[in-house]
Amino acid sequence: YDNHNCIKIFIKTEVYEMIRKQQYLLGLDIGTSNIKTAALSTSGRVAASTIAETEYNTYPDGRVEFDIDCFYIRVTDVIKKTVSALPEKSIVAGVSISSASGNTVLVSGIGSPMMPVISWQDTRVKDEIQHVFTDLEPESVREITGWPLTQMFPLAHLSWIRCHEPELLEKAARVCMSTEYINYRLTG
């Protein structure tokens, strides 16, 4: 029986347990109505949470847009509020982000948004898809992209931009959804 090694194992176990109790997992839900965060302890207890309303600009012609930079600030604000409500010396050990997007963002070569985000709720698109993509079959689009060929999702948004603001699409370095842009801003 080696008393010295038992003490080392006991101390390591105690330190590990102490650190484990200070760890939290942060969940972020970027939703259509709200942006929500929750910090869970390693035992699964909700230690803190925050909710902020998602803000949109709506227009008579069916446009529904939002400013991605303002949206990013709202996302980081709910994260900060939740984390600041945790006990002192807490450690965020992991982050999980969920979102069902469909919100289209054009991004420049330096990573800046080029126009307001077009929301999946936007109804401006009329027949632009047929003008831009003359031979598209709805089944093929769904099979390839995982998205339905409707007038409210990214392919339709890109068709509208191609018909009405083609210079933006030509200058865009990337096309993504709001969730991917938020991930990019959060992680670099």
Side-chain angles (χ1 to χ4, degrees):
Y1 178 77
D2 184 353
N3 195 25
H4 181 70
N5 280 336
C6 284
I7 291 171
K8 283 167 81 175
I9 291 170
F10 175 76
I11 291 172
K12 285 182 181 178
T13 303
E14 286 296 307
V15 169
Y16 169 77
E17 193 60 28
M18 185 177 69
I19 291 170
R20 189 186 67 75
K21 287 181 181 177
Q22 295 174 331
Q23 290 184 341
Y24 293 86
L25 303 173
L26 185 69
L28 171 62
D29 178 11
I30 303 172
T32 299
S33 303
N34 295 299
I35 302 162
K36 302 171 278 294
T37 55
L40 281 75
S41 68
T42 54
S43 64
R45 181 184 57 83
V46 175
S49 63
T50 307
I51 298 175
E53 190 174 339
T54 303
E55 295 180 356
Y56 299 95
N57 297 315
T58 57
Y59 302 92
D61 64 354
R63 289 181 295 142
V64 180
E65 303 174 336
F66 59 93
D67 181 304
I68 193 71
D69 291 323
C70 292
F71 190 68
Y72 173 75
I73 290 169
R74 289 184 85 73
V75 168
T76 57
D77 282 349
V78 297
I79 292 170
K80 288 175 191 173
K81 286 178 184 172
T82 300
V83 171
S84 68
L86 294 174
E88 192 174 331
K89 297 185 180 181
S90 294
I91 299 165
V92 175
V95 178
S96 176
I97 301 174
S98 70
S99 176
S101 188
N103 305 315
T104 307
V105 183
L106 296 184
V107 183
S108 72
I110 60 169
S112 299
M114 298 175 61
M115 63 184 288
V117 176
I118 302 176
S119 168
W120 69 267
Q121 301 168 91
D122 191 291
T123 60
R124 76 180 82 184
V125 177
K126 302 301 178 226
D127 60 356
E128 288 85 358
I129 294 176
Q130 290 78 16
H131 289 300
V132 174
F133 299 104
T134 55
D135 297 328
L136 278 184
E137 294 295 326
E139 302 80 34
S140 299
V141 171
R142 188 184 233 359
E143 186 178 311
I144 293 168
T145 67
W147 290 90
L149 184 60
T150 70
Q151 294 179 314
M152 296 172 66
F153 282 108
L155 195 56
H157 301 160
L158 295 173
S159 299
W160 188 91
I161 295 167
R162 172 63 70 203
C163 290
H164 301 279
E165 298 186 52
E167 68 285 350
L168 282 176
L169 201 53
E170 290 167 14
K171 291 179 183 175
R174 289 174 183 73
V175 176
C176 62
M177 291 187 232
S178 56
T179 304
E180 287 79 20
Y181 186 78
I182 294 299
N183 283 336
Y184 159 71
R185 290 284 304 272
L186 289 173
T187 62

